[in-house]
Amino acid sequence: MPHHSPLIATIVGGIALAFILGTIAQRLRISPLVGYLLAGVLAGPFTPGFVADQALALELAEIGVILLMFGVGLHFSMKDLLSVKAIAIPGAVGQIAVATLLGMALSWALGWDIGAGLVFGLALSTASTVVLLRALQDRRIVDTRRGRIAVGWLIVEDLAMVLTLVMLPALAGVLRAGEDAAVSVDTYVVVKALIVTIGKVGAFVAVMLIIGRRVIPWVLQYIAHTGSRELFRLAVLTIALGVAYGAAMLFDVSFALGAFFAGMILSESPLSQRAAEETLPLRDAFAVLFFVSVGMLFDPRILLEDPLPLLATFFIIVFGKSAAAFFIVRAFGHPTGTALTISASLAQIGEFAFILATLSVSLGLMPERARDLILGGAILSILANPLFFMVIERFKPWFERFDRIDPTEIPPEETIEDLVPTSLTGHAIIIGYGRVGSLVGRRLQRANKPVLVIENTEDLAAKLQAQGIETIYGNAAKPAILAAANLAGARWLFLAISNGFEAAQVVDQARKANPALDIVAQAHSDAEVDYLRKRGANYIIMGEREIARGMIEHALGDEAPDEGEPGAPGATAA
């Protein structure tokens, strides 16, 4: 029986190589993204050994883009998107213009015509959706104002590229011929294409707001009431993938934009958090395949055959367009920290650049050399992006000395480094104020114990502060956040977050800061219990065990298990 299957070989080979090289990268204290890209280079057609199917890898990568944008949409609302339009629209347009002009200047130096230079510059102007979102998620700033500006900026860039891809075939003739053919352009065809494209995008948005806003939450609510987790997961994936595919097929909107709107509509449902959790494993796996597919496009020979033009392309992407973004954000009155974050997140290019380059070469608008430079620049910029963030974060305090903005006007999430430590001592620190954390907090308050909450959801943090509960907004794994919570003077630390690995990072720091601190954590498996105990937690409670104990106590009363027996809470004490 033949076992040759390009699809299975591509998935297995890509994920296995990404796992191996990503682990090595992590051990070397560099971003796993570097390992994923190198895995793609090894699996590509330009290196010896295993060669994955490039076309299949690119299609699998699109699923990663869809799920990633859907997940981002789940944390957004139309109000969030409109709140940053004043900076996102002019900022994205201005940055695209600067990057395009820089690309045209390089193309002129290489002897290409104006049409080739225009398309080349446009390809260098749009950031990769996956790289930008991964950078924001890794730093836990998607839900901050900086994150919203970056995502809004990205949406405007996506719309600009959709228009470009539609208009390019209509303008191909005049762009190929150069300036002398300007009079021969069919204005009617161009205007018609523009109106149709804008009309389709508008129709898609209208359908999502009028019909999708009612149907999507209703469908998910109905499936949730069936009690089937499997059907719920399928419903979420159907909504994410189905809306993205329908948007592309019916309205000529990108997969990413369609998925984002699907998530944004669903964000208004109380089931949005559960929907995000259900898509997380698939989203991460396919996002990895995106980086593998990008690596497969890279031909290492270009480093030797065309080094100077490649270096110039890299500098335009990483320094030219990011510098433009930085100065635009500062010009709109935002602090240096925001400007640095946005400029760093945009200092790379990705999927739209590949699509635009491929289309332009097929239309005869650009030489193949230009496509190779775009691909090479994209790979190098994605490789350099984690390093760029590292450098910016290191020197951000120095840059911020030149800020002339009133600190009271800076949103809370943009001044994490300037947090004033709490004056509380002998207090309880609660990390995460969801269902578990809120119950713990209310009980401690009734007992008149001082409480400090660390919460990474902006709206909830603001609500708690309004209620008079001392709250620090941010990611608890950051040393600056924990330092502001005064771990050394605290009596208890309650970890009411579901991510065991993240909780372990907090436990590590807390135990070093205060060896006598009483650390109480929650877990969802025996492995998490052991992991947290080894890290230094005093008492770990597993939800399933507590449920079982309650059932047994109800049924058996005095015959319920004693401390230390399976199912008893004492079994999880360190």
Side-chain angles (χ1 to χ4, degrees):
M1 178 179 175
H3 292 286
H4 175 67
S5 173
L7 177 60
I8 295 175
T10 299
I11 293 175
V12 173
I15 289 179
L17 285 171
F19 166 69
I20 294 169
L21 294 176
T23 303
I24 294 172
Q26 185 75 30
R27 290 286 294 174
L28 296 175
R29 297 183 181 275
I30 57 179
S31 172
L33 297 186
V34 175
Y36 305 156
L37 289 166
L38 293 177
V41 175
L42 291 180
F46 305 107
T47 53
F50 169 72
V51 178
D53 190 305
Q54 210 165 10
L56 284 175
L58 288 171
E59 290 194 25
L60 291 170
E62 283 286 7
I63 298 178
V65 174
I66 290 170
L67 294 177
L68 198 63
M69 284 301 284
F70 178 72
V72 171
L74 287 171
H75 296 285
F76 263 70
S77 67
M78 185 60 71
K79 179 183 175 183
D80 292 330
L81 199 58
L82 293 175
S83 70
V84 297
K85 68 180 186 300
I87 171 80
I89 295 174
V93 172
Q95 182 242 297
I96 289 173
V98 171
T100 302
L101 289 173
L102 290 173
M104 291 178 71
L106 176 58
S107 71
W108 175 79
L110 295 174
W112 302 340
D113 59 42
I114 293 178
L118 177 64
V119 179
F120 180 72
L122 283 169
L124 302 183
S125 67
T126 308
S128 164
T129 300
V130 179
V131 178
L132 185 147
L133 294 179
R134 281 295 291 266
L136 298 181
Q137 288 174 344
D138 288 347
R139 289 156 185 81
R140 302 282 182 145
I141 55 176
V142 174
D143 294 329
T144 67
R145 180 162 179 78
R146 285 174 288 172
R148 286 196 290 271
I149 292 173
V151 173
W153 198 300
L154 182 70
I155 295 300
V156 176
E157 286 189 346
D158 278 5
L159 287 170
M161 286 303 107
V162 168
L163 288 172
T164 300
L165 292 171
V166 172
M167 299 288 291
L168 207 56
L171 294 171
V174 65
L175 290 174
R176 273 196 302 265
E179 292 178 343
D180 295 337
V183 295
S184 65
V185 65
D186 191 335
T187 306
Y188 172 75
V189 173
V190 174
V191 173
K192 179 183 176 183
L194 183 61
I195 292 174
V196 168
T197 302
I198 295 174
K200 285 183 176 180
V201 172
F204 168 70
V205 174
V207 168
M208 292 301 294
L209 292 178
I210 297 171
I211 301 175
R213 181 174 278 178
R214 292 171 173 80
V215 174
I216 291 175
W218 177 83
V219 169
L220 212 58
Q221 193 77 31
Y222 174 79
I223 296 299
H225 285 159
T226 66
S228 172
R229 184 173 183 177
E230 182 178 305
L231 282 177
F232 185 84
R233 185 180 294 119
L234 284 174
V236 173
L237 292 174
T238 299
I239 290 169
L241 299 174
V243 171
Y245 184 77
M249 294 300 105
L250 300 177
F251 300 98
D252 288 330
V253 174
S254 67
F255 288 128
L257 196 60
F260 175 78
F261 266 90
M264 194 167 64
I265 294 300
L266 192 54
S267 69
E268 300 174 8
S269 166
L271 295 168
S272 59
Q273 181 61 38
R274 184 179 167 192
E277 293 170 357
E278 293 296 341
T279 58
L280 186 61
L282 272 179
R283 185 181 75 194
D284 288 346
F286 281 103
V288 167
L289 286 176
F290 167 81
F291 291 103
V292 173
S293 70
V294 171
M296 290 173 64
L297 298 170
F298 184 58
D299 185 352
R301 291 177 299 182
I302 195 173
L303 296 171
L304 300 175
E305 296 174 356
D306 227 356
L308 292 180
L310 178 62
L311 190 62
T313 303
F314 173 75
F315 268 80
I316 289 172
I317 298 168
V318 174
F319 297 106
K321 64 189 293 239
S322 60
F326 175 85
F327 288 114
I328 290 170
V329 174
R330 291 291 288 126
F332 275 81
H334 291 273
T336 300
T338 300
L340 288 172
T341 299
I342 292 172
S343 61
S345 62
L346 296 168
Q348 37 76 23
I349 60 173
E351 52 271 21
F352 269 117
F354 310 145
I355 297 169
L356 188 57
T358 303
L359 177 62
S360 301
V361 171
S362 68
L363 292 171
L365 296 174
M366 241 178 18
E368 292 190 3
R369 183 189 184 194
R371 180 191 62 193
D372 294 339
L373 290 176
I374 290 169
L375 293 176
I379 295 289
L380 294 178
S381 69
I382 294 172
L383 283 170
N385 198 245
L387 179 62
F388 199 32
F389 263 105
M390 191 186 307
V391 171
I392 279 180
E393 288 168 359
R394 183 180 181 87
F395 290 100
K396 188 162 69 171
W398 184 83
F399 282 113
E400 288 177 339
R401 288 190 304 172
F402 301 99
D403 258 332
R404 294 183 180 179
I405 296 174
D406 184 352
T408 61
E409 296 178 2
I410 302 175
E413 73 273 10
E414 295 176 352
T415 57
I416 286 176
E417 293 84 355
D418 301 322
L419 283 172
V420 178
T422 181
S423 59
L424 294 176
T425 56
H427 57 296
I429 300 172
I430 303 174
I431 298 178
Y433 212 73
R435 288 177 298 178
V436 175
S438 59
L439 290 172
V440 174
R442 285 195 291 269
R443 182 65 184 85
L444 288 170
Q445 286 176 307
R446 285 201 297 271
N448 294 318
K449 303 296 183 184
V451 171
L452 182 143
V453 176
I454 299 177
E455 174 57 51
N456 68 354
T457 303
E458 185 178 4
D459 292 342
L460 180 54
K463 183 179 178 181
L464 291 172
Q465 288 170 343
Q467 292 173 358
I469 299 173
E470 187 165 348
T471 305
I472 296 176
Y473 168 60
N475 178 9
K478 287 188 174 182
I481 297 290
L482 289 176
N486 188 19
L487 282 170
R491 182 176 178 183
W492 300 283
L493 173 64
F494 295 94
L495 287 150
I497 53 178
S498 58
N499 188 321
F501 290 102
E502 184 178 323
Q505 293 177 30
V506 177
V507 172
D508 270 340
Q509 297 179 64
R511 186 54 69 210
K512 290 175 184 176
N514 186 350
L517 184 64
D518 190 6
I519 302 176
V520 183
Q522 69 174 30
H524 295 282
S525 67
D526 289 327
E528 279 190 11
V529 170
D530 293 338
Y531 186 61
L532 290 167
R533 182 186 295 117
K534 289 175 183 176
R535 294 286 177 158
N538 299 90
Y539 196 78
I540 308 105
I541 299 172
M542 194 166 82
E544 290 79 359
R545 282 182 179 164
E546 289 300 301
I547 293 170
R549 185 173 69 88
M551 290 179 173
I552 292 171
E553 283 185 349
H554 173 75
L556 302 181
D558 295 338
E559 298 177 43
D562 297 326
E563 294 286 325
E565 289 186 21
T572 59

